[in-house]
mmCIF file of all heavy atoms in Angstrom:
data_model
loop_
_atom_site.group_PDB
_atom_site.id
_atom_site.type_symbol
_atom_site.label_atom_id
_atom_site.label_comp_id
_atom_site.label_asym_id
_atom_site.label_seq_id
_atom_site.Cartn_x
_atom_site.Cartn_y
_atom_site.Cartn_z
ATOM 1 N N ASN A 1 -6.753 -1.692 4.715
ATOM 2 C CA ASN A 1 -5.815 -2.302 5.663
ATOM 3 C C ASN A 1 -5.637 -3.757 5.280
ATOM 4 O O ASN A 1 -6.614 -4.493 5.140
ATOM 5 C CB ASN A 1 -6.374 -2.245 7.089
ATOM 6 C CG ASN A 1 -6.477 -0.839 7.607
ATOM 7 O OD1 ASN A 1 -5.519 -0.092 7.616
ATOM 8 N ND2 ASN A 1 -7.674 -0.463 8.050
ATOM 9 N N THR A 2 -4.387 -4.188 5.146
ATOM 10 C CA THR A 2 -4.111 -5.591 4.855
ATOM 11 C C THR A 2 -4.072 -6.361 6.173
ATOM 12 O O THR A 2 -4.205 -5.784 7.239
ATOM 13 C CB THR A 2 -2.768 -5.748 4.111
ATOM 14 O OG1 THR A 2 -1.710 -5.394 4.991
ATOM 15 C CG2 THR A 2 -2.730 -4.889 2.859
ATOM 16 N N GLN A 3 -3.872 -7.651 6.110
ATOM 17 C CA GLN A 3 -3.851 -8.486 7.318
ATOM 18 C C GLN A 3 -2.535 -8.427 8.062
ATOM 19 O O GLN A 3 -2.461 -8.843 9.207
ATOM 20 C CB GLN A 3 -4.126 -9.949 6.941
ATOM 21 C CG GLN A 3 -5.565 -10.251 6.698
ATOM 22 C CD GLN A 3 -5.792 -11.728 6.469
ATOM 23 O OE1 GLN A 3 -6.578 -12.072 5.643
ATOM 24 N NE2 GLN A 3 -5.128 -12.613 7.173
ATOM 25 N N LYS A 4 -1.469 -7.966 7.420
ATOM 26 C CA LYS A 4 -0.141 -8.105 8.014
ATOM 27 C C LYS A 4 0.529 -6.766 8.285
ATOM 28 O O LYS A 4 0.475 -5.851 7.460
ATOM 29 C CB LYS A 4 0.754 -8.908 7.084
ATOM 30 C CG LYS A 4 0.274 -10.321 6.830
ATOM 31 C CD LYS A 4 1.225 -11.004 5.876
ATOM 32 C CE LYS A 4 0.761 -12.385 5.506
ATOM 33 N NZ LYS A 4 1.660 -13.000 4.539
ATOM 34 N N GLN A 5 1.174 -6.651 9.414
ATOM 35 C CA GLN A 5 2.081 -5.573 9.790
ATOM 36 C C GLN A 5 1.535 -4.170 9.538
ATOM 37 O O GLN A 5 2.271 -3.272 9.157
ATOM 38 C CB GLN A 5 3.421 -5.749 9.076
ATOM 39 C CG GLN A 5 4.114 -7.029 9.484
ATOM 40 C CD GLN A 5 5.556 -7.051 9.036
ATOM 41 O OE1 GLN A 5 6.210 -6.022 8.957
ATOM 42 N NE2 GLN A 5 6.061 -8.232 8.762
ATOM 43 N N GLY A 6 0.246 -3.983 9.754
ATOM 44 C CA GLY A 6 -0.337 -2.652 9.601
ATOM 45 C C GLY A 6 -0.260 -2.118 8.188
ATOM 46 O O GLY A 6 -0.263 -0.908 7.975
ATOM 47 N N GLY A 7 -0.200 -2.996 7.221
ATOM 48 C CA GLY A 7 -0.083 -2.585 5.826
ATOM 49 C C GLY A 7 -1.327 -1.891 5.316
ATOM 50 O O GLY A 7 -2.442 -2.186 5.744
ATOM 51 N N VAL A 8 -1.126 -0.946 4.396
ATOM 52 C CA VAL A 8 -2.234 -0.259 3.736
ATOM 53 C C VAL A 8 -1.945 -0.252 2.238
ATOM 54 O O VAL A 8 -0.861 0.146 1.799
ATOM 55 C CB VAL A 8 -2.406 1.187 4.246
ATOM 56 C CG1 VAL A 8 -3.528 1.899 3.487
ATOM 57 C CG2 VAL A 8 -2.684 1.202 5.742
ATOM 58 N N VAL A 9 -2.940 -0.695 1.465
ATOM 59 C CA VAL A 9 -2.865 -0.685 0.003
ATOM 60 C C VAL A 9 -3.940 0.266 -0.497
ATOM 61 O O VAL A 9 -5.085 0.210 -0.058
ATOM 62 C CB VAL A 9 -3.076 -2.101 -0.581
ATOM 63 C CG1 VAL A 9 -3.228 -2.055 -2.095
ATOM 64 C CG2 VAL A 9 -1.915 -3.007 -0.199
ATOM 65 N N GLU A 10 -3.549 1.134 -1.415
ATOM 66 C CA GLU A 10 -4.502 2.050 -2.032
ATOM 67 C C GLU A 10 -4.905 1.497 -3.386
ATOM 68 O O GLU A 10 -4.045 1.289 -4.256
ATOM 69 C CB GLU A 10 -3.877 3.430 -2.200
ATOM 70 C CG GLU A 10 -4.829 4.434 -2.832
ATOM 71 C CD GLU A 10 -4.183 5.782 -2.945
ATOM 72 O OE1 GLU A 10 -3.198 5.903 -3.714
ATOM 73 O OE2 GLU A 10 -4.640 6.699 -2.263
ATOM 74 N N ILE A 11 -6.199 1.240 -3.557
ATOM 75 C CA ILE A 11 -6.719 0.776 -4.844
ATOM 76 C C ILE A 11 -7.147 2.004 -5.636
ATOM 77 O O ILE A 11 -7.829 2.885 -5.117
ATOM 78 C CB ILE A 11 -7.876 -0.225 -4.650
ATOM 79 C CG1 ILE A 11 -7.351 -1.488 -3.942
ATOM 80 C CG2 ILE A 11 -8.516 -0.575 -5.994
ATOM 81 C CD1 ILE A 11 -8.400 -2.544 -3.660
ATOM 82 N N HIS A 12 -6.707 2.052 -6.904
ATOM 83 C CA HIS A 12 -6.941 3.224 -7.747
ATOM 84 C C HIS A 12 -7.155 2.781 -9.192
ATOM 85 O O HIS A 12 -6.879 1.632 -9.551
ATOM 86 C CB HIS A 12 -5.741 4.181 -7.649
ATOM 87 C CG HIS A 12 -4.444 3.515 -8.014
ATOM 88 N ND1 HIS A 12 -3.940 3.518 -9.290
ATOM 89 C CD2 HIS A 12 -3.570 2.790 -7.270
ATOM 90 C CE1 HIS A 12 -2.803 2.848 -9.319
ATOM 91 N NE2 HIS A 12 -2.556 2.392 -8.105
ATOM 92 N N ARG A 13 -7.637 3.696 -10.010
ATOM 93 C CA ARG A 13 -7.783 3.408 -11.439
ATOM 94 C C ARG A 13 -6.409 3.398 -12.099
ATOM 95 O O ARG A 13 -5.553 4.219 -11.774
ATOM 96 C CB ARG A 13 -8.630 4.487 -12.104
ATOM 97 C CG ARG A 13 -10.084 4.346 -11.850
ATOM 98 C CD ARG A 13 -10.866 5.339 -12.718
ATOM 99 N NE ARG A 13 -12.255 5.292 -12.339
ATOM 100 C CZ ARG A 13 -12.790 6.016 -11.380
ATOM 101 N NH1 ARG A 13 -12.050 6.873 -10.716
ATOM 102 N NH2 ARG A 13 -14.064 5.905 -11.076
ATOM 103 N N CYS A 14 -6.240 2.485 -13.042
ATOM 104 C CA CYS A 14 -5.046 2.473 -13.892
ATOM 105 C C CYS A 14 -5.531 2.097 -15.290
ATOM 106 O O CYS A 14 -5.758 0.937 -15.579
ATOM 107 C CB CYS A 14 -3.963 1.538 -13.356
ATOM 108 S SG CYS A 14 -4.455 -0.173 -13.139
ATOM 109 N N GLY A 15 -5.753 3.093 -16.099
ATOM 110 C CA GLY A 15 -6.345 2.857 -17.409
ATOM 111 C C GLY A 15 -7.786 2.426 -17.258
ATOM 112 O O GLY A 15 -8.552 3.044 -16.517
ATOM 113 N N GLN A 16 -8.154 1.335 -17.893
ATOM 114 C CA GLN A 16 -9.524 0.825 -17.837
ATOM 115 C C GLN A 16 -9.744 -0.156 -16.690
ATOM 116 O O GLN A 16 -10.803 -0.741 -16.572
ATOM 117 C CB GLN A 16 -9.877 0.136 -19.160
ATOM 118 C CG GLN A 16 -9.832 1.053 -20.356
ATOM 119 C CD GLN A 16 -10.875 2.158 -20.262
ATOM 120 O OE1 GLN A 16 -12.016 1.921 -19.905
ATOM 121 N NE2 GLN A 16 -10.462 3.384 -20.552
ATOM 122 N N ALA A 17 -8.730 -0.345 -15.857
ATOM 123 C CA ALA A 17 -8.798 -1.351 -14.789
ATOM 124 C C ALA A 17 -8.495 -0.706 -13.438
ATOM 125 O O ALA A 17 -8.358 0.510 -13.332
ATOM 126 C CB ALA A 17 -7.786 -2.457 -15.079
ATOM 127 N N LEU A 18 -8.407 -1.542 -12.422
ATOM 128 C CA LEU A 18 -8.033 -1.110 -11.084
ATOM 129 C C LEU A 18 -6.699 -1.742 -10.704
ATOM 130 O O LEU A 18 -6.419 -2.882 -11.069
ATOM 131 C CB LEU A 18 -9.092 -1.523 -10.062
ATOM 132 C CG LEU A 18 -10.455 -0.863 -10.206
ATOM 133 C CD1 LEU A 18 -11.427 -1.440 -9.185
ATOM 134 C CD2 LEU A 18 -10.369 0.639 -10.049
ATOM 135 N N CYS A 19 -5.902 -0.979 -9.976
ATOM 136 C CA CYS A 19 -4.611 -1.450 -9.494
ATOM 137 C C CYS A 19 -4.489 -1.070 -8.027
ATOM 138 O O CYS A 19 -5.305 -0.302 -7.512
ATOM 139 C CB CYS A 19 -3.473 -0.799 -10.284
ATOM 140 S SG CYS A 19 -3.445 -1.271 -12.026
ATOM 141 N N GLY A 20 -3.485 -1.598 -7.354
ATOM 142 C CA GLY A 20 -3.262 -1.255 -5.958
ATOM 143 C C GLY A 20 -1.786 -1.085 -5.678
ATOM 144 O O GLY A 20 -0.953 -1.801 -6.244
ATOM 145 N N ARG A 21 -1.470 -0.119 -4.803
ATOM 146 C CA ARG A 21 -0.073 0.136 -4.451
ATOM 147 C C ARG A 21 0.061 0.266 -2.941
ATOM 148 O O ARG A 21 -0.874 0.695 -2.256
ATOM 149 C CB ARG A 21 0.454 1.374 -5.156
ATOM 150 C CG ARG A 21 -0.240 2.634 -4.722
ATOM 151 C CD ARG A 21 0.352 3.871 -5.392
ATOM 152 N NE ARG A 21 -0.550 4.987 -5.181
ATOM 153 C CZ ARG A 21 -1.142 5.669 -6.122
ATOM 154 N NH1 ARG A 21 -0.917 5.370 -7.372
ATOM 155 N NH2 ARG A 21 -1.957 6.656 -5.829
ATOM 156 N N VAL A 22 1.224 -0.077 -2.432
ATOM 157 C CA VAL A 22 1.524 0.012 -1.005
ATOM 158 C C VAL A 22 1.682 1.488 -0.637
ATOM 159 O O VAL A 22 2.445 2.210 -1.276
ATOM 160 C CB VAL A 22 2.825 -0.752 -0.665
ATOM 161 C CG1 VAL A 22 3.197 -0.561 0.791
ATOM 162 C CG2 VAL A 22 2.686 -2.228 -1.013
ATOM 163 N N VAL A 23 0.951 1.924 0.409
ATOM 164 C CA VAL A 23 1.068 3.315 0.858
ATOM 165 C C VAL A 23 1.449 3.438 2.333
ATOM 166 O O VAL A 23 1.776 4.529 2.786
ATOM 167 C CB VAL A 23 -0.213 4.129 0.570
ATOM 168 C CG1 VAL A 23 -0.436 4.253 -0.928
ATOM 169 C CG2 VAL A 23 -1.423 3.531 1.257
ATOM 170 N N ASP A 24 1.416 2.334 3.092
ATOM 171 C CA ASP A 24 1.779 2.407 4.509
ATOM 172 C C ASP A 24 2.002 1.002 5.049
ATOM 173 O O ASP A 24 1.624 0.014 4.442
ATOM 174 C CB ASP A 24 0.673 3.097 5.304
ATOM 175 C CG ASP A 24 1.128 3.547 6.690
ATOM 176 O OD1 ASP A 24 2.345 3.546 6.960
ATOM 177 O OD2 ASP A 24 0.261 3.895 7.510
ATOM 178 N N GLY A 25 2.612 0.942 6.221
ATOM 179 C CA GLY A 25 2.860 -0.311 6.922
ATOM 180 C C GLY A 25 3.852 -0.071 8.038
ATOM 181 O O GLY A 25 4.668 0.859 7.964
ATOM 182 N N ALA A 26 3.797 -0.879 9.077
ATOM 183 C CA ALA A 26 4.701 -0.710 10.213
ATOM 184 C C ALA A 26 6.169 -0.721 9.780
ATOM 185 O O ALA A 26 6.936 0.145 10.197
ATOM 186 C CB ALA A 26 4.422 -1.778 11.269
ATOM 187 N N PRO A 27 6.606 -1.657 8.936
ATOM 188 C CA PRO A 27 8.009 -1.634 8.516
ATOM 189 C C PRO A 27 8.373 -0.363 7.742
ATOM 190 O O PRO A 27 9.490 0.129 7.839
ATOM 191 C CB PRO A 27 8.142 -2.867 7.617
ATOM 192 C CG PRO A 27 7.027 -3.766 8.022
ATOM 193 C CD PRO A 27 5.915 -2.852 8.437
ATOM 194 N N LEU A 28 7.406 0.185 7.001
ATOM 195 C CA LEU A 28 7.670 1.405 6.232
ATOM 196 C C LEU A 28 7.745 2.634 7.129
ATOM 197 O O LEU A 28 8.475 3.575 6.826
ATOM 198 C CB LEU A 28 6.596 1.610 5.166
ATOM 199 C CG LEU A 28 6.642 0.618 4.016
ATOM 200 C CD1 LEU A 28 5.431 0.778 3.123
ATOM 201 C CD2 LEU A 28 7.921 0.793 3.223
ATOM 202 N N ARG A 29 7.002 2.625 8.221
ATOM 203 C CA ARG A 29 7.111 3.744 9.166
ATOM 204 C C ARG A 29 8.474 3.715 9.855
ATOM 205 O O ARG A 29 9.037 4.763 10.146
ATOM 206 C CB ARG A 29 5.967 3.696 10.176
ATOM 207 C CG ARG A 29 4.619 4.085 9.539
ATOM 208 C CD ARG A 29 3.516 4.236 10.558
ATOM 209 N NE ARG A 29 3.131 3.001 11.208
ATOM 210 C CZ ARG A 29 2.292 2.098 10.701
ATOM 211 N NH1 ARG A 29 1.752 2.298 9.511
ATOM 212 N NH2 ARG A 29 1.994 1.006 11.360
ATOM 213 N N ALA A 30 9.004 2.518 10.072
ATOM 214 C CA ALA A 30 10.333 2.385 10.685
ATOM 215 C C ALA A 30 11.434 2.701 9.668
ATOM 216 O O ALA A 30 12.461 3.268 10.028
ATOM 217 C CB ALA A 30 10.520 0.973 11.237
ATOM 218 N N ASN A 31 11.214 2.330 8.404
ATOM 219 C CA ASN A 31 12.210 2.552 7.355
ATOM 220 C C ASN A 31 11.480 2.875 6.046
ATOM 221 O O ASN A 31 11.180 1.974 5.265
ATOM 222 C CB ASN A 31 13.086 1.313 7.178
ATOM 223 C CG ASN A 31 14.064 1.457 6.030
ATOM 224 O OD1 ASN A 31 14.288 2.541 5.510
ATOM 225 N ND2 ASN A 31 14.645 0.344 5.613
ATOM 226 N N PRO A 32 11.192 4.163 5.794
ATOM 227 C CA PRO A 32 10.456 4.541 4.580
ATOM 228 C C PRO A 32 11.173 4.161 3.282
ATOM 229 O O PRO A 32 10.555 4.089 2.233
ATOM 230 C CB PRO A 32 10.328 6.060 4.686
ATOM 231 C CG PRO A 32 10.577 6.377 6.118
ATOM 232 C CD PRO A 32 11.468 5.298 6.648
ATOM 233 N N ASP A 33 12.459 3.903 3.360
ATOM 234 C CA ASP A 33 13.241 3.548 2.177
ATOM 235 C C ASP A 33 13.373 2.027 2.009
ATOM 236 O O ASP A 33 14.235 1.548 1.269
ATOM 237 C CB ASP A 33 14.634 4.191 2.267
ATOM 238 C CG ASP A 33 15.315 4.235 0.911
ATOM 239 O OD1 ASP A 33 14.636 4.526 -0.090
ATOM 240 O OD2 ASP A 33 16.530 3.957 0.866
ATOM 241 N N GLN A 34 12.526 1.269 2.666
ATOM 242 C CA GLN A 34 12.582 -0.195 2.603
ATOM 243 C C GLN A 34 12.543 -0.671 1.151
ATOM 244 O O GLN A 34 11.789 -0.153 0.334
ATOM 245 C CB GLN A 34 11.415 -0.785 3.387
ATOM 246 C CG GLN A 34 11.381 -2.296 3.372
ATOM 247 C CD GLN A 34 10.162 -2.843 4.118
ATOM 248 O OE1 GLN A 34 9.379 -2.113 4.682
ATOM 249 N NE2 GLN A 34 10.022 -4.138 4.096
#
């Protein structure tokens, strides 16, 4: 959970490192095509 607007970032492997992508948030629930 991020600090803002109910955001959620998923941290995952990307090659030999770690990366993170947006998977949820209040604005995205209102408009998934944001």
Side-chain angles (χ1 to χ4, degrees):
N1 293 306
T2 67
Q3 281 186 219
K4 298 179 184 177
Q5 297 193 32
V8 177
V9 171
E10 180 179 66
I11 296 179
H12 56 92
R13 283 188 187 88
C14 57
Q16 298 296 316
L18 294 176
C19 295
R21 65 177 167 240
V22 175
V23 295
D24 196 13
L28 290 172
R29 288 188 293 278
N31 176 14
D33 198 41
Q34 180 182 357

